[in-house]
Amino acid sequence: MTTSPLSDRPARVLFLGTPSSAVALDRWTQLQERLDLAGIETTTAFEGEVDYAILTEDILDGYCTAAEALTLQKLRARGITCASTCAGPEQILAALAETSADVASVVPISTARGSTYRHAASSAV
């Protein structure tokens, strides 16, 4: 994973695509909120440094625009982990913590909030 040489910058997660269902949109929104609460910057624009990427299932399956395909290609070329919203916040935090030495410490998400997310995600499936 590529990180900035600047130390103590916040971890940054790219959200790419447009969720295609209400359930996917709910998971997308909840995940963004949870990461924001943990002090992780979220963005929908692939500008500057990105440490992790959350993509819609359509993009991961190859159903995307040319611009989204190009962004996915750039993410992979830089070695940035790409996952769907099925990746839980704890998985994302663990990945950021172990591969981002130059990124500021990640604040853990509370267990109570984690169980709420897991319930929402499991009931959505």
Side-chain angles (χ1 to χ4, degrees), residues 45-90:
F46 188 37
E47 299 168 350
E49 295 295 327
V50 172
D51 301 297
Y52 199 91
I54 304 295
L55 286 64
T56 62
E57 291 292 331
D58 285 345
I59 292 174
L60 289 171
D61 290 340
Y63 300 106
C64 54
T65 66
E68 291 167 337
L70 181 59
T71 299
L72 179 57
Q73 183 180 17
K74 289 178 183 178
L75 289 166
R76 290 183 173 158
R78 292 185 187 180
I80 296 169
T81 301
C82 299
S84 72
T85 55
C86 294
E90 290 77 15

Side-chain angles (χ1 to χ4, degrees), residues 10-29:
R12 192 161 190 238
V13 176
L14 172 68
F15 280 76
L16 183 64
T18 304
S20 59
S21 70
V23 171
L25 180 60
D26 284 344
R27 284 193 306 222
W28 188 267
T29 302

Side-chain angles (χ1 to χ4, degrees), residues 20 35 41 48-49 54-55 67 79 93 96 101 106 109-111:
S20 59
L35 294 174
E41 181 182 341
E49 295 295 327
I54 304 295
L55 286 64
L93 293 173
L96 288 170
V106 176
I109 297 174
S110 73
T111 306

Side-chain angles (χ1 to χ4, degrees), residues 85-108:
T85 55
C86 294
E90 290 77 15
Q91 291 173 297
I92 296 167
L93 293 173
L96 288 170
E98 73 182 41
T99 59
S100 301
D102 293 333
V103 174
S105 298
V106 176
V107 178

